Amino acid sequence: MFRFRLLVTSYAVSAYGNYLNLIALSLFSYEVTGTAFGIGAVMALRLLAGVAAGPVAGAVAARFGRRAVMIGADTAQAGAMTVLAVCGTRTPLWVLGGAVMVLGAGNTFFGVALRSAVPVMVGQEGRVRANGLLVTARSLATVLGFASAAPVIAHGGYPTAFAVNAASFVVSGAALLVLRPRTEEETPSRAAESGPAPSWWRAGAGLPALLLGLIALRGTDALASSSHNVALPVAAGLADAVDPALYMSRFWVAWAVGTLLAHQVLKRGGAARGERAFALGTCAMSCSFVLAFTGLPAVALTVAAAAAGFADGWTEIVYTSRLQAAGDRERGRLFGLSATAEQGGFALGTVAAAAALESLSPLTVVALFHGTAVCGALALLLAVRAGRVDRKASGARRTRDVPTSDAPKEDAPKEGEGSHGTRTGDGRLPGS
């Protein structure tokens, strides 16, 4: 676990660079393109590259190895950010477009490889705690990245912010090279087992319906989450016109504290939770985010944001741990499909929420989008309940169908004997 903690630290450094770059790249895109539409187009290009990489990421990781894919993704992203840092304000539009596509695809490849490798690195019994560490690291990196973006850009400009992000990828890749974590199950031939990369329309073929429902709800949750990300700056300006940045900082710090608490609670609970816990967590998260946009006073807003963060961390850990319970060969496909659903939902939601804010209030937009997530969670709960009823009914039918023997007792084998009179040890049926 010590080696995994070192990897989590390097992951936190990389995530910090990403969130710092998220703000820097948005502002830089406006400077290069000169229009608000250009900012949206650059963001959409980055998200679409991630969506396109999702269906093939699992197959690529299976063919070349998860550690190699993570190192390759870090290297490619570090190279893209170095190019932007060197070019600076002279960056051609086509170079900016290529760089953000590398960032989007690289993030998906890295995420799919990392999340599917966790059970191999820490064991199935340790995956809940490991996922909690990753969520905690990402939450802290989010707050620090957003908080430090303004001073870094102010003192060093965009090239400095891009150079910091490039260095963070180098740290992550170097940690993977030096620590050499075990990321693959022992198999005779990984390339032979991986097979061809599935087409996007066949990515979910053969997967259980409940797992597909889980991934669909995750995509709906991403769509809903895009609404509060887009609406928060508007709500901050309305609530505190003098210092909206303080409003947003208070919100995100409280959210991060909530995710830390979720990790502590799930770590103490120990056992992994499934679809029902994820659906209930999604409902709680959506309701908390809607509540945070109702114009609460500062203290109540902090509590609502912390509750949203707790539910956000809870759902992330539960969801990831549930997919990791699948077999080693299936995990890559699940996380690739999940990445496509999450990034596709977030991209669609970002565009739709921005358009809706032109005529609707932030509260209305957030309520509508998160209401969709609540409906999806309720549908999943009903599906889980129906599945349990079906299993109980099926078990009852099997019990009724077991034939009873009318043969005299003397014709039956004695206790501890098989049908041919041989001893079977403790007398229990095989597999009982």
Side-chain angles (χ1 to χ4, degrees), residues 157-334:
Y158 298 119
T160 300
F162 297 151
V164 169
N165 194 20
S168 72
F169 287 125
V170 172
V171 169
S172 176
L176 288 164
L177 278 171
V178 173
L179 296 174
R180 301 184 64 83
R182 178 171 171 257
T183 59
E184 317 295 333
E185 296 285 2
E186 296 297 333
T187 55
S189 176
R190 187 165 55 244
E193 288 190 359
S194 63
S199 302
W200 66 268
W201 62 86
R202 294 191 291 111
L207 294 176
L210 207 54
L211 273 181
L212 291 176
L214 198 71
I215 293 172
L217 177 56
R218 186 65 174 175
T220 306
D221 173 32
L223 183 144
S225 295
S226 68
S227 68
H228 64 252
N229 279 277
V230 174
L232 186 60
V234 179
L238 294 173
D240 189 352
V242 177
D243 195 356
L246 177 62
Y247 183 97
M248 293 184 64
S249 298
R250 187 186 299 124
F251 183 95
W252 287 120
V253 168
W255 171 86
V257 170
T259 61
L260 296 176
L261 292 175
H263 173 214
Q264 295 302 316
V265 171
L266 284 170
K267 181 176 69 175
R268 294 178 186 278
R273 292 164 173 82
E275 291 86 355
R276 186 170 180 270
F278 174 66
L280 291 173
T282 300
C283 285
M285 178 176 61
S286 291
C287 292
S288 298
F289 273 121
V290 172
L291 183 63
F293 279 79
T294 57
L296 299 172
V299 175
L301 173 67
T302 301
V303 173
F310 182 90
D312 206 347
W314 173 281
T315 54
E316 171 75 13
I317 296 169
V318 168
Y319 174 78
T320 305
S321 301
R322 175 62 187 89
L323 293 194
Q324 287 168 347
D328 185 69
R329 292 177 60 188
E330 192 178 38
R331 282 199 300 271
R333 187 157 62 115
L334 284 171

